[in-house]
Amino acid sequence: MLSAIESDTRATAGMTGRASLSAATLHALRAVPRHEFVHTAQLMAAYENRPLPIGHGQTISQPFIVGLMTDLIELSADDVVLDVGTGCGYQAAVLSRLARWVYSVEIVESLATEARERLRDLGYHNVSVLSGDGAQGWAEHAPYDAILVAAATPRIPAALIEQLKPGGRMILPLGEPSAGQELVLVTKSVADRVTQRPVLPVAFVPLTGEILTGS
């Protein structure tokens, strides 16, 4: 799996600006057992460099994308991260190897419950999982040093911008589910100025929530 990730990283360097992932990110990917986060029927494909279904119309992301998104937010050991779209908990587990604490939000209650129990049983004790609307973030623990969104949205939810710490970084796929999506790196300056940089074309399941629907 790691060799495939490294190959994809080199192949996309012209777009991402990353010819290689950091040693810390690669160590985190190596340390997290992806087979513990996939369904039994998918075990043979657990370490293939591709997304896999986890039920409820959701997927566990491609390992290369997990690694790239993790690398782009440039975590430090004392950082607190918001992870939107917990799914099976794999991305949160990778982030937990690099940050002080990960707060993860999943809108599908059964997935949130399963991920919470899985992460606890596997010993990831610096991850908290909330069943809720990820578009609203998790205001109680804001501001965050970094935010990672693992679902596509046509625009950046205002709540996530508000909950990002000045000087922080956010990575998320922007675009409609049925159209082209772009992985975008968002930075917030110490003066609260927000800038965006397109990184790579991607395909994610849609982010759902009241803020995006306007209801």
Side-chain angles (χ1 to χ4, degrees), residues 11-86:
T12 57
M15 292 179 283
T16 68
R18 289 281 201 283
S20 62
L21 301 183
S22 70
T25 296
L26 290 172
H27 177 75
L29 290 166
R30 186 180 295 110
V32 176
R34 194 170 186 249
H35 68 273
E36 297 283 4
F37 295 85
V38 304
H39 288 170
T40 303
Q42 302 289 341
L43 281 178
M44 295 297 291
Y47 292 98
E48 294 180 6
N49 187 29
R50 62 184 177 93
L52 297 170
I54 59 171
H56 304 277
Q58 307 299 304
T59 62
I60 179 173
S61 295
Q62 177 187 3
F64 162 63
I65 295 297
V66 170
L68 178 64
M69 293 176 74
T70 300
D71 211 56
L72 286 168
I73 54 175
E74 298 179 353
L75 296 176
S76 298
D78 200 43
D79 283 349
V80 176
V81 186
L82 176 64
D83 170 44
V84 176
T86 313

Side-chain angles (χ1 to χ4, degrees), residues 80-87 89 91-93 95-96 99-106 111-113 115-120 123-132 137-138 140-141 144:
V80 176
V81 186
L82 176 64
D83 170 44
V84 176
T86 313
Q91 176 72 77
L95 294 171
S96 78
R100 177 166 60 88
W101 206 275
V102 179
Y103 292 98
S104 191
V105 185
E106 171 56 54
L111 284 178
T113 299
R116 186 183 301 114
E117 293 174 354
R118 180 181 297 113
L119 289 161
R120 180 199 63 205
Y124 296 98
H125 299 307
N126 63 332
V127 182
S128 299
V129 179
L130 172 72
S131 175
W138 195 342
E140 178 184 356
H141 303 289
Y144 298 98

